[in-house]
């Protein structure tokens, strides 16, 4: 397992996932919002670089608690 990296989510991609620039290239980070800073473990999948959230350091002001308790499980 790799060490989590701190990423700044710059914008939302066309699949509604957050996108961040890292030294390895553009990272797709599901369940994030533009303006957030997160710590994520990076992995390659289907020729893309993905980040799995370990911690949301700075949440977006637009972040809300999901109304469904099983969201994300």
């Amino acid at each position: 397992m790799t060490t989590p990296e701190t990423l700044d989510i710059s914008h939302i991609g066309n699949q509604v996932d957050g996108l961040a620039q890292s030294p390895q290239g553009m990272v797709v980070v599901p369940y994030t919002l533009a303006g957030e800073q997160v710590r994520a473990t990076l992995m390659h999948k289907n020729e893309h670089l993905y980040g799995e959230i370990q911690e949301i350091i700075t949440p977006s002001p637009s972040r809300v608690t999901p109304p469904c308790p099983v969201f994300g499980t």
Side-chain angles (χ1 to χ4, degrees), residues 4-73:
E5 291 191 29
T6 300
L7 300 170
D8 295 315
I9 308 301
S10 59
H11 58 285
I12 302 298
N14 59 359
Q15 298 295 314
V16 196
D17 292 322
L19 300 174
Q21 189 65 46
S22 79
Q24 295 93 341
M26 188 61 69
V27 182
V28 177
V29 189
Y31 306 115
T32 58
L33 300 169
E36 292 188 321
Q37 186 177 63
V38 300
R39 289 183 48 78
T41 303
L42 304 186
M43 65 192 94
H44 289 275
K45 181 179 174 185
N46 299 330
E47 300 180 18
H48 296 285
L49 190 58
Y50 284 87
E52 181 178 320
I53 299 172
Q54 303 302 312
E55 173 188 9
I56 297 175
I57 299 168
T58 306
S60 166
S62 299
R63 181 168 287 282
V64 297
T65 302
C68 178
V70 295
F71 174 79
T73 61

